[in-house]
Amino acid sequence: QVQLVESGGGSVQAGGSLRLSCVASGVTDSTYYMGWFRQGPGKEREGVAVISTRVPQAYYADSVKGRFTISRDDAKNTLYLEMNSLEPEDTAMYYCVADQLGHGTGSWDTPARFKHWGQGTQVTVSS
């Protein structure tokens, strides 16, 4: 029932900015956290940022702290990831994710915690 559709990816030069959007539908009270994962070429999936659906609580990967900001607009059912000071290392497919109570356990950056995944949007940063 939950559907996540990402947009906003593209190609930018190092130091540039980009804002990703995720339109969510079918999210219920059993959803506690939503966020963004990414997977670069030849790399494992990595948690980028996760935000609570109920309180102003968020988690960030050390590599993006101070550069990326996750936010949500409940009225628009949309999740955002504002990315500033982009680096070539940020090049990856970015996925919007949503959890569901009872689906899985683990730390915030554990992929198995999240039941629902979008199709992804590509971000490419050139130097």
Side-chain angles (χ1 to χ4, degrees):
Q1 183 174 325
V2 174
Q3 293 184 330
L4 307 171
V5 181
E6 305 97 330
S7 63
S11 298
V12 298
Q13 292 186 329
S17 299
L18 207 60
R19 187 177 78 162
L20 306 183
S21 299
C22 171
V23 178
S25 62
V27 177
T28 71
D29 289 342
S30 64
T31 298
Y32 282 79
Y33 291 92
M34 297 183 65
W36 299 88
F37 278 67
R38 68 185 182 186
Q39 186 168 21
K43 298 181 179 180
E44 298 292 321
R45 283 180 296 176
E46 174 189 28
V48 178
V50 168
I51 189 170
S52 170
T53 63
R54 293 163 170 76
V55 298
Q57 178 186 27
Y59 302 91
Y60 294 91
D62 289 341
S63 60
V64 307
K65 286 181 179 178
R67 300 189 298 120
F68 291 10
T69 302
I70 187 170
S71 62
R72 55 181 168 86
D73 186 332
D74 294 338
K76 296 182 178 180
N77 298 315
T78 302
L79 183 74
Y80 300 99
L81 184 67
E82 184 72 37
M83 304 185 293
N84 299 312
S85 301
L86 283 163
E87 305 168 353
E89 292 74 20
D90 297 316
T91 295
M93 183 72 75
Y94 284 71
Y95 298 92
C96 180
V97 300
D99 71 354
Q100 181 171 305
L101 183 64
H103 174 71
T105 59
S107 60
W108 71 270
D109 57 351
T110 301
R113 276 181 49 91
F114 297 92
K115 182 177 182 179
H116 308 287
W117 293 68
Q119 291 298 305
T121 184
Q122 178 67 39
V123 172
T124 301
V125 184
S126 62
S127 59

PDB file of all heavy atoms in Angstrom, residues 98-125:
ATOM      1  N   ALA A  98      10.845   3.993   4.128  1.00  0.00           N
ATOM      2  CA  ALA A  98       9.896   4.153   5.223  1.00  0.00           C
ATOM      3  C   ALA A  98       9.825   2.854   6.007  1.00  0.00           C
ATOM      4  O   ALA A  98       9.783   1.774   5.413  1.00  0.00           O
ATOM      5  CB  ALA A  98       8.515   4.536   4.697  1.00  0.00           C
ATOM      6  N   ASP A  99       9.805   2.955   7.321  1.00  0.00           N
ATOM      7  CA  ASP A  99       9.718   1.755   8.138  1.00  0.00           C
ATOM      8  C   ASP A  99       8.267   1.436   8.472  1.00  0.00           C
ATOM      9  O   ASP A  99       7.343   2.133   8.068  1.00  0.00           O
ATOM     10  CB  ASP A  99      10.568   1.885   9.406  1.00  0.00           C
ATOM     11  CG  ASP A  99       9.994   2.864  10.435  1.00  0.00           C
ATOM     12  OD1 ASP A  99       8.985   3.548  10.145  1.00  0.00           O
ATOM     13  OD2 ASP A  99      10.560   2.947  11.541  1.00  0.00           O
ATOM     14  N   GLN A 100       8.080   0.353   9.213  1.00  0.00           N
ATOM     15  CA  GLN A 100       6.775  -0.044   9.708  1.00  0.00           C
ATOM     16  C   GLN A 100       6.998  -0.812  10.999  1.00  0.00           C
ATOM     17  O   GLN A 100       7.782  -1.765  11.033  1.00  0.00           O
ATOM     18  CB  GLN A 100       6.017  -0.904   8.697  1.00  0.00           C
ATOM     19  CG  GLN A 100       4.629  -1.320   9.167  1.00  0.00           C
ATOM     20  CD  GLN A 100       3.828  -1.989   8.066  1.00  0.00           C
ATOM     21  OE1 GLN A 100       3.646  -1.424   6.989  1.00  0.00           O
ATOM     22  NE2 GLN A 100       3.366  -3.198   8.346  1.00  0.00           N
ATOM     23  N   LEU A 101       6.318  -0.407  12.059  1.00  0.00           N
ATOM     24  CA  LEU A 101       6.491  -1.038  13.358  1.00  0.00           C
ATOM     25  C   LEU A 101       6.276  -2.542  13.256  1.00  0.00           C
ATOM     26  O   LEU A 101       5.259  -2.997  12.717  1.00  0.00           O
ATOM     27  CB  LEU A 101       5.519  -0.432  14.375  1.00  0.00           C
ATOM     28  CG  LEU A 101       5.636  -0.935  15.809  1.00  0.00           C
ATOM     29  CD1 LEU A 101       6.989  -0.563  16.392  1.00  0.00           C
ATOM     30  CD2 LEU A 101       4.516  -0.351  16.655  1.00  0.00           C
ATOM     31  N   GLY A 102       7.237  -3.298  13.768  1.00  0.00           N
ATOM     32  CA  GLY A 102       7.141  -4.745  13.742  1.00  0.00           C
ATOM     33  C   GLY A 102       7.808  -5.396  12.557  1.00  0.00           C
ATOM     34  O   GLY A 102       7.918  -6.625  12.512  1.00  0.00           O
ATOM     35  N   HIS A 103       8.281  -4.603  11.595  1.00  0.00           N
ATOM     36  CA  HIS A 103       8.891  -5.179  10.407  1.00  0.00           C
ATOM     37  C   HIS A 103      10.319  -5.653  10.656  1.00  0.00           C
ATOM     38  O   HIS A 103      10.707  -6.724  10.196  1.00  0.00           O
ATOM     39  CB  HIS A 103       8.882  -4.177   9.254  1.00  0.00           C
ATOM     40  CG  HIS A 103       9.627  -4.652   8.057  1.00  0.00           C
ATOM     41  ND1 HIS A 103       9.155  -5.670   7.254  1.00  0.00           N
ATOM     42  CD2 HIS A 103      10.817  -4.269   7.524  1.00  0.00           C
ATOM     43  CE1 HIS A 103      10.012  -5.888   6.277  1.00  0.00           C
ATOM     44  NE2 HIS A 103      11.027  -5.048   6.421  1.00  0.00           N
ATOM     45  N   GLY A 104      11.097  -4.857  11.371  1.00  0.00           N
ATOM     46  CA  GLY A 104      12.475  -5.200  11.611  1.00  0.00           C
ATOM     47  C   GLY A 104      13.074  -4.394  12.744  1.00  0.00           C
ATOM     48  O   GLY A 104      12.435  -3.489  13.285  1.00  0.00           O
ATOM     49  N   THR A 105      14.299  -4.735  13.093  1.00  0.00           N
ATOM     50  CA  THR A 105      15.001  -4.050  14.167  1.00  0.00           C
ATOM     51  C   THR A 105      16.414  -3.705  13.717  1.00  0.00           C
ATOM     52  O   THR A 105      16.897  -4.189  12.697  1.00  0.00           O
ATOM     53  CB  THR A 105      15.067  -4.908  15.435  1.00  0.00           C
ATOM     54  OG1 THR A 105      15.747  -6.137  15.147  1.00  0.00           O
ATOM     55  CG2 THR A 105      13.665  -5.225  15.944  1.00  0.00           C
ATOM     56  N   GLY A 106      17.074  -2.879  14.537  1.00  0.00           N
ATOM     57  CA  GLY A 106      18.434  -2.480  14.242  1.00  0.00           C
ATOM     58  C   GLY A 106      18.607  -0.984  14.421  1.00  0.00           C
ATOM     59  O   GLY A 106      17.663  -0.262  14.745  1.00  0.00           O
ATOM     60  N   SER A 107      19.812  -0.509  14.202  1.00  0.00           N
ATOM     61  CA  SER A 107      20.085   0.913  14.295  1.00  0.00           C
ATOM     62  C   SER A 107      19.443   1.655  13.126  1.00  0.00           C
ATOM     63  O   SER A 107      18.953   1.041  12.173  1.00  0.00           O
ATOM     64  CB  SER A 107      21.587   1.167  14.327  1.00  0.00           C
ATOM     65  OG  SER A 107      22.212   0.670  13.158  1.00  0.00           O
ATOM     66  N   TRP A 108      19.477   2.962  13.197  1.00  0.00           N
ATOM     67  CA  TRP A 108      18.778   3.781  12.208  1.00  0.00           C
ATOM     68  C   TRP A 108      19.265   3.553  10.790  1.00  0.00           C
ATOM     69  O   TRP A 108      18.516   3.747   9.834  1.00  0.00           O
ATOM     70  CB  TRP A 108      18.919   5.273  12.550  1.00  0.00           C
ATOM     71  CG  TRP A 108      20.302   5.799  12.316  1.00  0.00           C
ATOM     72  CD1 TRP A 108      21.335   5.837  13.204  1.00  0.00           C
ATOM     73  CD2 TRP A 108      20.800   6.365  11.098  1.00  0.00           C
ATOM     74  NE1 TRP A 108      22.449   6.388  12.615  1.00  0.00           N
ATOM     75  CE2 TRP A 108      22.147   6.724  11.327  1.00  0.00           C
ATOM     76  CE3 TRP A 108      20.235   6.603   9.850  1.00  0.00           C
ATOM     77  CZ2 TRP A 108      22.946   7.300  10.345  1.00  0.00           C
ATOM     78  CZ3 TRP A 108      21.018   7.182   8.859  1.00  0.00           C
ATOM     79  CH2 TRP A 108      22.354   7.520   9.111  1.00  0.00           C
ATOM     80  N   ASP A 109      20.530   3.161  10.652  1.00  0.00           N
ATOM     81  CA  ASP A 109      21.116   2.996   9.329  1.00  0.00           C
ATOM     82  C   ASP A 109      21.152   1.540   8.867  1.00  0.00           C
ATOM     83  O   ASP A 109      21.936   1.198   7.978  1.00  0.00           O
ATOM     84  CB  ASP A 109      22.524   3.590   9.293  1.00  0.00           C
ATOM     85  CG  ASP A 109      23.451   2.974  10.336  1.00  0.00           C
ATOM     86  OD1 ASP A 109      22.977   2.214  11.197  1.00  0.00           O
ATOM     87  OD2 ASP A 109      24.664   3.262  10.282  1.00  0.00           O
ATOM     88  N   THR A 110      20.311   0.711   9.442  1.00  0.00           N
ATOM     89  CA  THR A 110      20.208  -0.684   9.033  1.00  0.00           C
ATOM     90  C   THR A 110      19.143  -0.823   7.946  1.00  0.00           C
ATOM     91  O   THR A 110      17.972  -0.543   8.202  1.00  0.00           O
ATOM     92  CB  THR A 110      19.842  -1.579  10.223  1.00  0.00           C
ATOM     93  OG1 THR A 110      20.836  -1.452  11.244  1.00  0.00           O
ATOM     94  CG2 THR A 110      19.749  -3.039   9.799  1.00  0.00           C
ATOM     95  N   PRO A 111      19.522  -1.247   6.751  1.00  0.00           N
ATOM     96  CA  PRO A 111      18.535  -1.335   5.668  1.00  0.00           C
ATOM     97  C   PRO A 111      17.323  -2.189   6.010  1.00  0.00           C
ATOM     98  O   PRO A 111      16.200  -1.858   5.601  1.00  0.00           O
ATOM     99  CB  PRO A 111      19.342  -1.954   4.515  1.00  0.00           C
ATOM    100  CG  PRO A 111      20.748  -1.513   4.774  1.00  0.00           C
ATOM    101  CD  PRO A 111      20.885  -1.561   6.278  1.00  0.00           C
ATOM    102  N   ALA A 112      17.527  -3.270   6.785  1.00  0.00           N
ATOM    103  CA  ALA A 112      16.443  -4.191   7.097  1.00  0.00           C
ATOM    104  C   ALA A 112      15.362  -3.568   7.969  1.00  0.00           C
ATOM    105  O   ALA A 112      14.272  -4.130   8.088  1.00  0.00           O
ATOM    106  CB  ALA A 112      16.998  -5.445   7.770  1.00  0.00           C
ATOM    107  N   ARG A 113      15.644  -2.433   8.602  1.00  0.00           N
ATOM    108  CA  ARG A 113      14.619  -1.754   9.394  1.00  0.00           C
ATOM    109  C   ARG A 113      13.485  -1.219   8.526  1.00  0.00           C
ATOM    110  O   ARG A 113      12.364  -1.038   9.014  1.00  0.00           O
ATOM    111  CB  ARG A 113      15.230  -0.572  10.154  1.00  0.00           C
ATOM    112  CG  ARG A 113      15.887  -0.916  11.477  1.00  0.00           C
ATOM    113  CD  ARG A 113      16.423   0.356  12.137  1.00  0.00           C
ATOM    114  NE  ARG A 113      15.427   1.430  12.168  1.00  0.00           N
ATOM    115  CZ  ARG A 113      14.579   1.630  13.166  1.00  0.00           C
ATOM    116  NH1 ARG A 113      14.584   0.853  14.237  1.00  0.00           N
ATOM    117  NH2 ARG A 113      13.709   2.636  13.100  1.00  0.00           N
ATOM    118  N   PHE A 114      13.762  -0.970   7.275  1.00  0.00           N
ATOM    119  CA  PHE A 114      12.818  -0.257   6.433  1.00  0.00           C
ATOM    120  C   PHE A 114      12.109  -1.199   5.461  1.00  0.00           C
ATOM    121  O   PHE A 114      12.737  -1.861   4.637  1.00  0.00           O
ATOM    122  CB  PHE A 114      13.538   0.867   5.685  1.00  0.00           C
ATOM    123  CG  PHE A 114      14.104   1.880   6.637  1.00  0.00           C
ATOM    124  CD1 PHE A 114      15.402   1.762   7.110  1.00  0.00           C
ATOM    125  CD2 PHE A 114      13.326   2.925   7.086  1.00  0.00           C
ATOM    126  CE1 PHE A 114      15.919   2.678   8.017  1.00  0.00           C
ATOM    127  CE2 PHE A 114      13.824   3.845   8.000  1.00  0.00           C
ATOM    128  CZ  PHE A 114      15.123   3.720   8.459  1.00  0.00           C
ATOM    129  N   LYS A 115      10.807  -1.223   5.568  1.00  0.00           N
ATOM    130  CA  LYS A 115       9.993  -2.129   4.762  1.00  0.00           C
ATOM    131  C   LYS A 115       9.764  -1.620   3.352  1.00  0.00           C
ATOM    132  O   LYS A 115       9.671  -2.408   2.406  1.00  0.00           O
ATOM    133  CB  LYS A 115       8.644  -2.373   5.457  1.00  0.00           C
ATOM    134  CG  LYS A 115       7.739  -3.345   4.727  1.00  0.00           C
ATOM    135  CD  LYS A 115       6.457  -3.593   5.498  1.00  0.00           C
ATOM    136  CE  LYS A 115       5.565  -4.594   4.790  1.00  0.00           C
ATOM    137  NZ  LYS A 115       4.321  -4.859   5.549  1.00  0.00           N
ATOM    138  N   HIS A 116       9.653  -0.308   3.202  1.00  0.00           N
ATOM    139  CA  HIS A 116       9.265   0.273   1.925  1.00  0.00           C
ATOM    140  C   HIS A 116      10.393   1.101   1.321  1.00  0.00           C
ATOM    141  O   HIS A 116      11.011   1.921   2.003  1.00  0.00           O
ATOM    142  CB  HIS A 116       8.019   1.142   2.102  1.00  0.00           C
ATOM    143  CG  HIS A 116       6.896   0.431   2.785  1.00  0.00           C
ATOM    144  ND1 HIS A 116       6.149  -0.545   2.159  1.00  0.00           N
ATOM    145  CD2 HIS A 116       6.400   0.537   4.045  1.00  0.00           C
ATOM    146  CE1 HIS A 116       5.243  -1.007   3.003  1.00  0.00           C
ATOM    147  NE2 HIS A 116       5.369  -0.365   4.144  1.00  0.00           N
ATOM    148  N   TRP A 117      10.622   0.868   0.041  1.00  0.00           N
ATOM    149  CA  TRP A 117      11.695   1.547  -0.692  1.00  0.00           C
ATOM    150  C   TRP A 117      11.175   2.101  -2.007  1.00  0.00           C
ATOM    151  O   TRP A 117      10.373   1.459  -2.687  1.00  0.00           O
ATOM    152  CB  TRP A 117      12.833   0.568  -0.997  1.00  0.00           C
ATOM    153  CG  TRP A 117      13.576   0.095   0.213  1.00  0.00           C
ATOM    154  CD1 TRP A 117      13.110  -0.703   1.210  1.00  0.00           C
ATOM    155  CD2 TRP A 117      14.933   0.392   0.542  1.00  0.00           C
ATOM    156  NE1 TRP A 117      14.085  -0.925   2.152  1.00  0.00           N
ATOM    157  CE2 TRP A 117      15.219  -0.263   1.766  1.00  0.00           C
ATOM    158  CE3 TRP A 117      15.935   1.144  -0.078  1.00  0.00           C
ATOM    159  CZ2 TRP A 117      16.465  -0.185   2.380  1.00  0.00           C
ATOM    160  CZ3 TRP A 117      17.173   1.222   0.530  1.00  0.00           C
ATOM    161  CH2 TRP A 117      17.431   0.556   1.741  1.00  0.00           C
ATOM    162  N   GLY A 118      11.646   3.292  -2.355  1.00  0.00           N
ATOM    163  CA  GLY A 118      11.335   3.846  -3.658  1.00  0.00           C
ATOM    164  C   GLY A 118      12.245   3.273  -4.726  1.00  0.00           C
ATOM    165  O   GLY A 118      13.133   2.461  -4.448  1.00  0.00           O
ATOM    166  N   GLN A 119      12.052   3.707  -5.960  1.00  0.00           N
ATOM    167  CA  GLN A 119      12.852   3.207  -7.074  1.00  0.00           C
ATOM    168  C   GLN A 119      14.219   3.877  -7.172  1.00  0.00           C
ATOM    169  O   GLN A 119      15.120   3.347  -7.828  1.00  0.00           O
ATOM    170  CB  GLN A 119      12.088   3.379  -8.385  1.00  0.00           C
ATOM    171  CG  GLN A 119      10.869   2.480  -8.505  1.00  0.00           C
ATOM    172  CD  GLN A 119      11.252   1.021  -8.488  1.00  0.00           C
ATOM    173  OE1 GLN A 119      12.077   0.566  -9.280  1.00  0.00           O
ATOM    174  NE2 GLN A 119      10.656   0.274  -7.564  1.00  0.00           N
ATOM    175  N   GLY A 120      14.381   5.029  -6.541  1.00  0.00           N
ATOM    176  CA  GLY A 120      15.655   5.705  -6.523  1.00  0.00           C
ATOM    177  C   GLY A 120      15.762   6.839  -7.524  1.00  0.00           C
ATOM    178  O   GLY A 120      15.065   6.871  -8.533  1.00  0.00           O
ATOM    179  N   THR A 121      16.653   7.776  -7.220  1.00  0.00           N
ATOM    180  CA  THR A 121      16.971   8.870  -8.130  1.00  0.00           C
ATOM    181  C   THR A 121      18.483   9.054  -8.128  1.00  0.00           C
ATOM    182  O   THR A 121      19.121   9.048  -7.077  1.00  0.00           O
ATOM    183  CB  THR A 121      16.237  10.167  -7.717  1.00  0.00           C
ATOM    184  OG1 THR A 121      16.494  11.191  -8.680  1.00  0.00           O
ATOM    185  CG2 THR A 121      16.665  10.650  -6.341  1.00  0.00           C
ATOM    186  N   GLN A 122      19.064   9.187  -9.312  1.00  0.00           N
ATOM    187  CA  GLN A 122      20.514   9.214  -9.455  1.00  0.00           C
ATOM    188  C   GLN A 122      21.075  10.601  -9.188  1.00  0.00           C
ATOM    189  O   GLN A 122      20.576  11.603  -9.714  1.00  0.00           O
ATOM    190  CB  GLN A 122      20.918   8.761 -10.859  1.00  0.00           C
ATOM    191  CG  GLN A 122      22.414   8.787 -11.129  1.00  0.00           C
ATOM    192  CD  GLN A 122      23.176   7.770 -10.320  1.00  0.00           C
ATOM    193  OE1 GLN A 122      22.714   6.653 -10.136  1.00  0.00           O
ATOM    194  NE2 GLN A 122      24.345   8.161  -9.812  1.00  0.00           N
ATOM    195  N   VAL A 123      22.133  10.657  -8.384  1.00  0.00           N
ATOM    196  CA  VAL A 123      22.877  11.889  -8.129  1.00  0.00           C
ATOM    197  C   VAL A 123      24.313  11.669  -8.579  1.00  0.00           C
ATOM    198  O   VAL A 123      24.967  10.725  -8.137  1.00  0.00           O
ATOM    199  CB  VAL A 123      22.847  12.275  -6.642  1.00  0.00           C
ATOM    200  CG1 VAL A 123      23.794  13.450  -6.366  1.00  0.00           C
ATOM    201  CG2 VAL A 123      21.435  12.630  -6.212  1.00  0.00           C
ATOM    202  N   THR A 124      24.800  12.532  -9.449  1.00  0.00           N
ATOM    203  CA  THR A 124      26.165  12.434  -9.947  1.00  0.00           C
ATOM    204  C   THR A 124      26.875  13.758  -9.702  1.00  0.00           C
ATOM    205  O   THR A 124      26.405  14.810 -10.139  1.00  0.00           O
ATOM    206  CB  THR A 124      26.189  12.098 -11.444  1.00  0.00           C
ATOM    207  OG1 THR A 124      25.503  10.860 -11.671  1.00  0.00           O
ATOM    208  CG2 THR A 124      27.622  11.973 -11.941  1.00  0.00           C
ATOM    209  N   VAL A 125      28.007  13.696  -9.007  1.00  0.00           N
ATOM    210  CA  VAL A 125      28.779  14.890  -8.668  1.00  0.00           C
ATOM    211  C   VAL A 125      30.140  14.788  -9.334  1.00  0.00           C
ATOM    212  O   VAL A 125      30.893  13.842  -9.084  1.00  0.00           O
ATOM    213  CB  VAL A 125      28.946  15.051  -7.155  1.00  0.00           C
ATOM    214  CG1 VAL A 125      29.659  16.359  -6.839  1.00  0.00           C
ATOM    215  CG2 VAL A 125      27.589  15.001  -6.459  1.00  0.00           C
TER     216      VAL A 125
END
